[in-house]
Amino acid sequence: MKNQYNKTMTACFTAYIVQAVVNNFAPLLFLTFQRTYGIPLSRITMLVTINFAIQLLVDILSVSFVDKIGYRASMVLAHLFGAVGLLALAVLPELFRDPFLGILAAVFLYAIGGGLLEVLASPVVEACPSDHKEKAMSMLHSFYCWGHVGVVALSTLFFRLFGIENWRILVVLWALLPLCNGMVFTRVPFAPLMKEGEKGLSLGELFSSRLFLALFLMMVCAGASEQSVSQWASTFAEKGLGISKTAGDLAGPMTFAALMGASRAFYGKYGEKLQLERFMIYSSVLCILSYLCISLVPNPALSLLSCGLCGLSVGIMWPGTFSKSSAALPRGGTAMFALLALGGDLGCSGGPTLVGMVSSFFGDDLRLGILAGVIFPVVLLMGILFLRKSQRS
Protein backbone atom coordinates (compact mmCIF):
# COMPACT_ATOMS: atom_id res chain seq x y z
CA MET A 1 0.00 0.00 0.00
CA LYS A 2 2.79 2.41 0.93
CA ASN A 3 4.58 1.73 -2.35
CA GLN A 4 1.48 2.88 -4.24
CA TYR A 5 1.86 6.32 -2.64
CA ASN A 6 5.57 6.71 -3.44
CA LYS A 7 4.62 8.21 -6.82
CA THR A 8 2.26 10.63 -5.06
CA MET A 9 5.02 11.80 -2.73
CA THR A 10 7.49 12.13 -5.61
CA ALA A 11 4.95 14.25 -7.51
CA CYS A 12 4.55 16.46 -4.40
CA PHE A 13 8.34 16.86 -4.18
CA THR A 14 8.32 17.97 -7.83
CA ALA A 15 5.43 20.34 -7.08
CA TYR A 16 7.68 22.21 -4.65
CA ILE A 17 10.30 22.54 -7.39
CA VAL A 18 7.52 24.05 -9.53
CA GLN A 19 6.81 26.54 -6.74
CA ALA A 20 10.50 27.43 -6.62
CA VAL A 21 10.40 28.15 -10.36
CA VAL A 22 7.32 30.33 -9.92
CA ASN A 23 8.88 32.37 -7.12
CA ASN A 24 12.49 32.65 -8.23
CA PHE A 25 12.71 32.66 -12.04
CA ALA A 26 11.20 36.04 -12.97
CA PRO A 27 13.48 38.04 -10.60
CA LEU A 28 16.46 36.79 -12.66
CA LEU A 29 15.00 38.73 -15.62
CA PHE A 30 14.22 42.03 -13.88
CA LEU A 31 17.15 43.92 -15.44
CA THR A 32 16.34 42.32 -18.82
CA PHE A 33 12.74 43.55 -18.55
CA GLN A 34 14.06 47.01 -17.72
CA ARG A 35 16.37 47.11 -20.75
CA THR A 36 14.03 45.37 -23.24
CA TYR A 37 10.76 47.10 -22.42
CA GLY A 38 11.94 50.33 -20.79
CA ILE A 39 10.07 49.58 -17.56
CA PRO A 40 11.35 51.49 -14.50
CA LEU A 41 12.94 49.22 -11.91
CA SER A 42 10.58 50.62 -9.27
CA ARG A 43 7.62 49.11 -11.16
CA ILE A 44 9.41 45.83 -11.87
CA THR A 45 10.28 45.19 -8.22
CA MET A 46 6.55 45.52 -7.43
CA LEU A 47 6.13 42.15 -9.15
CA VAL A 48 7.63 40.29 -6.17
CA THR A 49 5.21 41.99 -3.78
CA ILE A 50 2.26 41.30 -6.10
CA ASN A 51 3.29 37.65 -6.50
CA PHE A 52 3.31 37.02 -2.76
CA ALA A 53 0.19 39.14 -2.17
CA ILE A 54 -1.76 36.95 -4.60
CA GLN A 55 -0.37 33.82 -2.95
CA LEU A 56 -1.54 35.14 0.43
CA LEU A 57 -5.02 35.71 -1.03
CA VAL A 58 -5.05 32.17 -2.46
CA ASP A 59 -4.02 30.82 0.97
CA ILE A 60 -7.13 32.44 2.46
CA LEU A 61 -9.56 31.54 -0.34
CA SER A 62 -8.42 27.92 -0.65
CA VAL A 63 -10.19 27.06 2.62
CA SER A 64 -13.53 27.57 0.88
CA PHE A 65 -13.03 25.44 -2.23
CA VAL A 66 -10.28 22.79 -1.89
CA ASP A 67 -12.42 20.33 0.07
CA LYS A 68 -15.36 20.92 -2.30
CA ILE A 69 -13.55 20.19 -5.57
CA GLY A 70 -11.07 17.73 -4.07
CA TYR A 71 -7.29 17.58 -3.79
CA ARG A 72 -6.73 15.97 -7.18
CA ALA A 73 -8.59 18.67 -9.12
CA SER A 74 -6.94 21.38 -6.99
CA MET A 75 -3.46 19.98 -7.66
CA VAL A 76 -4.04 19.75 -11.41
CA LEU A 77 -5.41 23.32 -11.45
CA ALA A 78 -2.41 24.59 -9.49
CA HIS A 79 0.00 23.12 -12.03
CA LEU A 80 -2.10 24.38 -14.94
CA PHE A 81 -2.05 27.95 -13.58
CA GLY A 82 1.71 27.68 -13.06
CA ALA A 83 2.33 26.45 -16.61
CA VAL A 84 -0.02 28.97 -18.27
CA GLY A 85 1.48 31.81 -16.22
CA LEU A 86 5.03 30.92 -17.28
CA LEU A 87 4.02 30.59 -20.93
CA ALA A 88 2.20 33.92 -20.67
CA LEU A 89 5.44 35.51 -19.43
CA ALA A 90 7.01 34.66 -22.78
CA VAL A 91 4.07 35.88 -24.89
CA LEU A 92 1.97 38.58 -23.22
CA PRO A 93 4.55 41.41 -22.88
CA GLU A 94 4.73 41.56 -26.69
CA LEU A 95 0.93 41.65 -27.06
CA PHE A 96 0.17 44.48 -24.62
CA ARG A 97 0.71 48.15 -25.49
CA ASP A 98 2.23 48.45 -22.01
CA PRO A 99 4.53 45.39 -21.64
CA PHE A 100 4.41 45.72 -17.85
CA LEU A 101 0.70 44.81 -17.93
CA GLY A 102 1.54 41.63 -19.84
CA ILE A 103 4.18 40.68 -17.27
CA LEU A 104 1.73 41.52 -14.48
CA ALA A 105 -0.94 39.26 -16.01
CA ALA A 106 1.56 36.40 -16.22
CA VAL A 107 2.60 36.90 -12.58
CA PHE A 108 -1.07 36.90 -11.55
CA LEU A 109 -1.63 33.52 -13.24
CA TYR A 110 1.42 31.68 -11.94
CA ALA A 111 1.05 33.19 -8.46
CA ILE A 112 -2.36 31.47 -8.20
CA GLY A 113 -0.63 28.19 -8.99
CA GLY A 114 2.18 28.85 -6.51
CA GLY A 115 -0.24 29.73 -3.71
CA LEU A 116 -2.29 26.60 -4.30
CA LEU A 117 0.78 24.36 -4.35
CA GLU A 118 1.91 25.73 -1.00
CA VAL A 119 -1.47 24.91 0.55
CA LEU A 120 -1.86 21.48 -1.07
CA ALA A 121 1.50 19.71 -1.08
CA SER A 122 1.95 19.43 2.70
CA PRO A 123 -1.47 17.88 3.51
CA VAL A 124 -1.19 15.46 0.55
CA VAL A 125 2.19 14.22 1.85
CA GLU A 126 0.86 14.17 5.43
CA ALA A 127 -2.04 11.95 4.31
CA CYS A 128 0.21 9.42 2.55
CA PRO A 129 0.91 6.34 4.71
CA SER A 130 4.50 6.39 6.00
CA ASP A 131 6.41 5.21 9.05
CA HIS A 132 7.83 8.63 9.89
CA LYS A 133 5.72 11.54 8.64
CA GLU A 134 8.10 14.18 10.03
CA LYS A 135 10.86 12.80 7.77
CA ALA A 136 8.60 12.97 4.71
CA MET A 137 7.53 16.54 5.54
CA SER A 138 11.11 17.71 5.97
CA MET A 139 12.18 16.03 2.73
CA LEU A 140 9.24 17.65 0.90
CA HIS A 141 10.26 21.14 1.95
CA SER A 142 13.91 20.48 1.08
CA PHE A 143 12.84 20.25 -2.56
CA TYR A 144 11.83 23.92 -2.58
CA CYS A 145 15.44 24.73 -1.63
CA TRP A 146 16.87 22.45 -4.30
CA GLY A 147 14.43 23.99 -6.77
CA HIS A 148 15.62 27.48 -5.83
CA VAL A 149 19.26 26.49 -6.29
CA GLY A 150 18.46 24.68 -9.55
CA VAL A 151 16.50 27.59 -11.03
CA VAL A 152 19.32 30.06 -10.39
CA ALA A 153 22.14 27.70 -11.45
CA LEU A 154 20.50 26.23 -14.58
CA SER A 155 19.10 29.57 -15.73
CA THR A 156 22.49 31.24 -15.28
CA LEU A 157 24.11 28.41 -17.28
CA PHE A 158 21.49 28.75 -20.06
CA PHE A 159 22.04 32.52 -20.28
CA ARG A 160 25.81 32.02 -20.43
CA LEU A 161 25.57 29.39 -23.21
CA PHE A 162 22.73 30.77 -25.35
CA GLY A 163 22.49 34.43 -24.34
CA ILE A 164 19.98 36.13 -22.09
CA GLU A 165 18.17 37.46 -25.19
CA ASN A 166 16.79 33.89 -25.62
CA TRP A 167 15.10 33.94 -22.20
CA ARG A 168 11.67 33.21 -23.75
CA ILE A 169 12.89 29.76 -24.82
CA LEU A 170 13.96 29.05 -21.25
CA VAL A 171 10.54 30.17 -19.94
CA VAL A 172 8.86 27.62 -22.23
CA LEU A 173 11.26 24.91 -21.05
CA TRP A 174 10.50 25.70 -17.38
CA ALA A 175 6.76 25.63 -18.19
CA LEU A 176 7.09 21.97 -19.25
CA LEU A 177 7.75 21.02 -15.62
CA PRO A 178 4.30 21.99 -14.24
CA LEU A 179 2.61 20.67 -17.40
CA CYS A 180 4.16 17.22 -16.98
CA ASN A 181 3.74 17.07 -13.21
CA GLY A 182 0.13 18.19 -13.50
CA MET A 183 -0.50 15.21 -15.77
CA VAL A 184 1.11 12.94 -13.16
CA PHE A 185 -1.39 14.18 -10.57
CA THR A 186 -4.28 13.02 -12.75
CA ARG A 187 -3.15 9.41 -12.17
CA VAL A 188 -1.48 9.04 -8.76
CA PRO A 189 -3.51 7.85 -5.74
CA PHE A 190 -4.60 10.29 -3.02
CA ALA A 191 -5.00 9.16 0.60
CA PRO A 192 -7.77 10.85 2.63
CA LEU A 193 -6.51 13.52 5.03
CA MET A 194 -9.29 12.76 7.53
CA LYS A 195 -10.63 9.41 8.69
CA GLU A 196 -13.99 8.42 7.23
CA GLY A 197 -16.83 10.21 9.03
CA GLU A 198 -14.52 12.83 10.57
CA LYS A 199 -14.85 16.52 9.80
CA GLY A 200 -12.04 19.04 9.88
CA LEU A 201 -11.98 21.91 12.34
CA SER A 202 -13.65 25.15 11.25
CA LEU A 203 -11.87 28.50 11.16
CA GLY A 204 -13.66 29.53 14.34
CA GLU A 205 -12.60 26.36 16.15
CA LEU A 206 -9.01 26.82 15.05
CA PHE A 207 -8.77 30.46 16.09
CA SER A 208 -10.37 29.70 19.46
CA SER A 209 -7.59 27.16 20.18
CA ARG A 210 -4.59 28.53 22.09
CA LEU A 211 -2.58 25.64 20.68
CA PHE A 212 -3.33 26.61 17.09
CA LEU A 213 -2.61 30.30 17.77
CA ALA A 214 0.80 29.32 19.13
CA LEU A 215 1.44 27.18 16.03
CA PHE A 216 0.28 29.99 13.72
CA LEU A 217 2.66 32.43 15.45
CA MET A 218 5.45 29.87 15.09
CA MET A 219 4.78 29.70 11.33
CA VAL A 220 4.92 33.50 11.06
CA CYS A 221 8.25 33.49 12.89
CA ALA A 222 9.55 30.54 10.82
CA GLY A 223 8.91 32.44 7.58
CA ALA A 224 10.31 35.68 9.01
CA SER A 225 13.43 33.98 10.44
CA GLU A 226 14.11 32.49 7.01
CA GLN A 227 13.53 35.48 4.76
CA SER A 228 14.84 38.26 7.02
CA VAL A 229 18.37 37.04 6.28
CA SER A 230 17.82 35.33 2.90
CA GLN A 231 16.46 38.49 1.26
CA TRP A 232 19.49 40.53 2.38
CA ALA A 233 22.23 37.90 1.96
CA SER A 234 23.18 39.08 -1.54
CA THR A 235 23.51 42.68 -0.35
CA PHE A 236 25.70 41.49 2.52
CA ALA A 237 27.96 39.60 0.13
CA GLU A 238 28.24 42.48 -2.34
CA LYS A 239 28.88 45.25 0.20
CA GLY A 240 30.90 43.28 2.71
CA LEU A 241 33.15 41.40 0.28
CA GLY A 242 33.11 43.91 -2.59
CA ILE A 243 32.06 41.34 -5.22
CA SER A 244 29.74 41.56 -8.25
CA LYS A 245 25.98 41.04 -8.02
CA THR A 246 26.21 37.66 -9.81
CA ALA A 247 28.88 36.46 -7.40
CA GLY A 248 26.88 37.97 -4.53
CA ASP A 249 23.79 35.99 -5.53
CA LEU A 250 25.85 32.79 -5.63
CA ALA A 251 27.64 33.48 -2.35
CA GLY A 252 24.54 34.78 -0.57
CA PRO A 253 21.01 33.51 -1.42
CA MET A 254 22.17 30.33 -3.21
CA THR A 255 24.42 29.28 -0.32
CA PHE A 256 21.62 30.08 2.12
CA ALA A 257 19.13 27.99 0.12
CA ALA A 258 21.57 25.09 -0.31
CA LEU A 259 22.32 24.88 3.42
CA MET A 260 18.64 25.21 4.29
CA GLY A 261 17.91 22.34 1.90
CA ALA A 262 20.76 20.31 3.41
CA SER A 263 19.24 20.71 6.89
CA ARG A 264 15.83 19.54 5.66
CA ALA A 265 17.32 16.64 3.69
CA PHE A 266 19.37 15.60 6.74
CA TYR A 267 16.25 15.37 8.88
CA GLY A 268 14.41 13.70 6.00
CA LYS A 269 17.12 11.03 5.92
CA TYR A 270 17.82 10.50 9.64
CA GLY A 271 14.64 11.83 11.24
CA GLU A 272 13.72 8.56 12.94
CA LYS A 273 16.92 8.82 15.00
CA LEU A 274 16.26 12.43 16.02
CA GLN A 275 13.66 13.96 18.30
CA LEU A 276 11.87 16.69 16.30
CA GLU A 277 11.20 18.99 19.25
CA ARG A 278 14.82 18.86 20.42
CA PHE A 279 16.08 19.37 16.85
CA MET A 280 13.87 22.48 16.52
CA ILE A 281 15.07 23.88 19.86
CA TYR A 282 18.74 23.46 18.93
CA SER A 283 18.05 24.96 15.49
CA SER A 284 16.32 27.98 17.05
CA VAL A 285 19.27 28.59 19.37
CA LEU A 286 21.67 28.33 16.40
CA CYS A 287 19.48 30.76 14.46
CA ILE A 288 19.58 33.29 17.31
CA LEU A 289 23.37 32.99 17.49
CA SER A 290 23.69 33.42 13.71
CA TYR A 291 21.56 36.59 13.80
CA LEU A 292 23.75 37.99 16.61
CA CYS A 293 26.95 37.15 14.71
CA ILE A 294 25.65 38.76 11.49
CA SER A 295 24.70 41.97 13.29
CA LEU A 296 27.43 42.30 15.94
CA VAL A 297 30.61 40.73 14.48
CA PRO A 298 32.40 43.37 12.33
CA ASN A 299 34.27 40.88 10.10
CA PRO A 300 32.46 40.70 6.68
CA ALA A 301 33.58 37.12 5.95
CA LEU A 302 32.32 35.90 9.34
CA SER A 303 29.05 37.75 8.74
CA LEU A 304 28.59 35.95 5.43
CA LEU A 305 29.45 32.62 7.08
CA SER A 306 26.80 33.40 9.69
CA CYS A 307 24.28 33.95 6.86
CA GLY A 308 25.00 30.39 5.73
CA LEU A 309 24.63 29.07 9.30
CA CYS A 310 21.29 30.87 9.46
CA GLY A 311 20.14 28.93 6.39
CA LEU A 312 21.22 25.69 8.07
CA SER A 313 19.37 26.62 11.29
CA VAL A 314 16.03 27.65 9.76
CA GLY A 315 15.71 24.54 7.58
CA ILE A 316 13.61 22.53 10.04
CA MET A 317 11.42 25.40 11.26
CA TRP A 318 8.78 25.49 8.50
CA PRO A 319 8.32 21.71 7.93
CA GLY A 320 8.79 21.03 11.64
CA THR A 321 5.94 23.38 12.54
CA PHE A 322 3.71 21.66 9.96
CA SER A 323 4.53 18.29 11.53
CA LYS A 324 3.96 19.55 15.08
CA SER A 325 0.60 20.97 13.96
CA SER A 326 -0.51 17.69 12.38
CA ALA A 327 0.39 15.79 15.55
CA ALA A 328 -1.15 18.33 17.94
CA LEU A 329 -4.34 18.94 15.90
CA PRO A 330 -5.06 15.78 13.85
CA ARG A 331 -8.50 17.16 12.89
CA GLY A 332 -7.07 20.44 11.63
CA GLY A 333 -7.82 19.51 8.01
CA THR A 334 -7.42 21.74 4.98
CA ALA A 335 -8.24 24.91 6.92
CA MET A 336 -5.31 24.38 9.28
CA PHE A 337 -2.80 23.79 6.47
CA ALA A 338 -4.09 26.81 4.54
CA LEU A 339 -3.83 29.08 7.58
CA LEU A 340 -0.34 27.80 8.41
CA ALA A 341 0.73 28.55 4.82
CA LEU A 342 -0.80 32.01 5.25
CA GLY A 343 1.15 32.53 8.48
CA GLY A 344 4.39 31.45 6.81
CA ASP A 345 3.83 33.82 3.89
CA LEU A 346 3.03 36.69 6.27
CA GLY A 347 6.35 36.05 7.97
CA CYS A 348 8.19 35.84 4.64
CA SER A 349 6.92 39.31 3.69
CA GLY A 350 6.88 40.88 7.16
CA GLY A 351 10.36 39.78 8.30
CA PRO A 352 12.37 41.46 5.51
CA THR A 353 10.09 44.51 5.76
CA LEU A 354 10.94 44.94 9.46
CA VAL A 355 14.66 44.52 8.73
CA GLY A 356 14.44 47.11 5.93
CA MET A 357 12.47 49.61 8.01
CA VAL A 358 14.84 49.42 10.99
CA SER A 359 17.86 49.63 8.67
CA SER A 360 16.44 52.74 6.98
CA PHE A 361 15.64 54.37 10.34
CA PHE A 362 19.29 54.02 11.37
CA GLY A 363 20.76 55.34 8.14
CA ASP A 364 20.66 52.15 6.04
CA ASP A 365 22.56 50.19 8.69
CA LEU A 366 21.67 46.63 7.66
CA ARG A 367 23.34 45.13 10.73
CA LEU A 368 20.94 46.92 13.06
CA GLY A 369 18.03 45.75 10.90
CA ILE A 370 19.18 42.14 11.23
CA LEU A 371 19.63 42.64 14.97
CA ALA A 372 15.97 43.71 15.23
CA GLY A 373 15.01 40.56 13.29
CA VAL A 374 16.40 38.32 16.06
CA ILE A 375 12.97 38.71 17.70
CA PHE A 376 11.60 36.11 15.25
CA PRO A 377 13.76 33.10 16.21
CA VAL A 378 13.42 34.13 19.87
CA VAL A 379 9.60 34.03 19.67
CA LEU A 380 9.77 30.77 17.72
CA LEU A 381 11.87 29.20 20.48
CA MET A 382 9.33 30.40 23.05
CA GLY A 383 6.54 28.82 20.97
CA ILE A 384 8.31 25.43 20.89
CA LEU A 385 8.81 25.53 24.66
CA PHE A 386 5.14 26.50 25.13
CA LEU A 387 4.05 23.52 23.01
CA ARG A 388 6.24 21.17 25.01
CA LYS A 389 4.81 22.46 28.29
CA SER A 390 1.18 22.31 27.11
CA GLN A 391 1.55 18.75 25.77
CA ARG A 392 3.10 17.53 29.00
CA SER A 393 0.48 19.14 31.25
Side-chain angles (χ1 to χ4, degrees):
M1 178 65 72
K2 289 177 184 176
N3 290 337
Q4 291 180 358
Y5 289 99
N6 284 342
K7 292 180 180 178
T8 308
M9 296 179 73
T10 301
C12 287
F13 295 163
T14 307
Y16 256 178
I17 297 177
V18 171
Q19 196 193 14
V21 174
V22 162
N23 286 340
N24 299 295
F25 177 70
L28 300 175
L29 297 170
F30 280 176
L31 291 178
T32 303
F33 292 156
Q34 183 188 29
R35 289 194 300 264
T36 305
Y37 302 116
I39 305 170
L41 206 56
S42 57
R43 292 184 78 192
I44 290 173
T45 52
M46 284 172 53
L47 296 172
V48 174
T49 305
I50 293 167
N51 175 30
F52 283 105
I54 293 168
Q55 292 195 35
L56 282 169
L57 184 61
V58 171
D59 291 344
I60 299 169
L61 296 178
S62 62
V63 178
S64 62
F65 67 83
V66 167
D67 284 330
K68 292 179 181 177
I69 68 173
Y71 274 83
R72 187 185 303 278
S74 298
M75 267 295 194
V76 173
L77 273 176
H79 284 81
L80 187 60
F81 271 108
V84 171
L86 288 170
L87 291 172
L89 189 63
V91 176
L92 292 186
E94 305 292 339
L95 300 181
F96 280 74
R97 181 174 297 178
D98 182 353
F100 178 75
L101 294 179
I103 298 170
L104 190 63
V107 170
F108 180 84
L109 289 168
Y110 69 58
I112 294 174
L116 271 175
L117 288 175
E118 188 171 26
V119 171
L120 298 168
S122 293
V124 171
V125 167
E126 180 67 26
C128 289
S130 63
D131 294 326
H132 204 292
K133 291 183 181 294
E134 292 92 345
K135 283 178 57 177
M137 190 67 73
S138 186
M139 190 63 78
L140 167 70
H141 287 266
S142 76
F143 273 80
Y144 180 86
C145 305
W146 306 135
H148 184 180
V149 172
V151 167
V152 176
L154 292 176
S155 298
T156 302
L157 179 63
F158 179 92
F159 296 148
R160 181 62 61 91
L161 292 175
F162 304 105
I164 200 164
E165 65 274 8
N166 291 311
W167 63 268
R168 293 177 188 83
I169 297 173
L170 184 58
V171 175
V172 174
L173 293 175
W174 280 124
L176 294 176
L177 184 64
L179 277 175
C180 294
N181 206 46
M183 292 173 64
V184 171
F185 272 109
T186 63
R187 302 179 65 85
V188 296
F190 280 73
L193 184 60
M194 309 290 298
K195 292 180 181 178
E196 192 172 346
E198 280 190 352
K199 188 179 179 182
L201 297 174
S202 66
L203 294 178
E205 289 172 322
L206 286 168
F207 279 116
S208 63
S209 166
R210 288 177 61 199
L211 199 58
F212 172 75
L213 292 176
L215 290 161
F216 183 82
L217 183 60
M218 284 171 61
M219 276 302 294
V220 173
C221 292
S225 298
E226 178 184 315
Q227 291 299 315
S228 293
V229 169
S230 176
Q231 290 289 313
W232 297 104
S234 180
T235 304
F236 244 99
E238 289 174 65
K239 288 187 175 181
L241 301 180
I243 57 182
S244 68
K245 168 144 180 53
T246 301
D249 287 343
L250 295 175
M254 264 191 68
T255 301
F256 185 97
L259 287 172
M260 184 166 67
S263 171
R264 290 172 175 177
F266 174 80
Y267 191 86
K269 179 76 172 175
Y270 301 106
E272 75 278 0
K273 301 176 183 177
L274 303 168
Q275 212 262 338
L276 177 60
E277 188 175 87
R278 188 175 299 166
F279 194 70
M280 291 181 72
I281 289 173
Y282 292 157
S283 294
S284 298
V285 172
L286 180 61
C287 186
I288 293 168
L289 292 175
S290 68
Y291 266 74
L292 294 177
C293 287
I294 292 168
S295 54
L296 300 178
V297 175
N299 187 299
L302 284 177
S303 292
L304 189 60
L305 177 63
S306 299
C307 286
L309 283 176
C310 185
L312 193 68
S313 68
V314 299
I316 195 60
M317 293 179 177
W318 191 297
T321 304
F322 266 118
S323 294
K324 297 290 284 183
S325 303
S326 299
L329 297 167
R331 289 183 52 240
T334 304
M336 181 183 74
F337 282 99
L339 289 174
L340 290 175
L342 172 65
D345 284 341
L346 285 172
C348 286
S349 58
T353 300
L354 175 68
V355 171
M357 288 173 62
V358 173
S359 300
S360 297
F361 185 79
F362 290 99
D364 291 334
D365 190 333
L366 191 53
R367 292 182 183 275
L368 288 177
I370 298 290
L371 183 60
V374 78
I375 185 66
F376 298 119
V378 168
V379 173
L380 180 60
L381 177 59
M382 292 170 61
I384 299 167
L385 296 175
F386 169 79
L387 276 183
R388 181 166 69 174
K389 182 180 178 181
S390 63
Q391 288 171 345
R392 287 179 178 177
S393 60

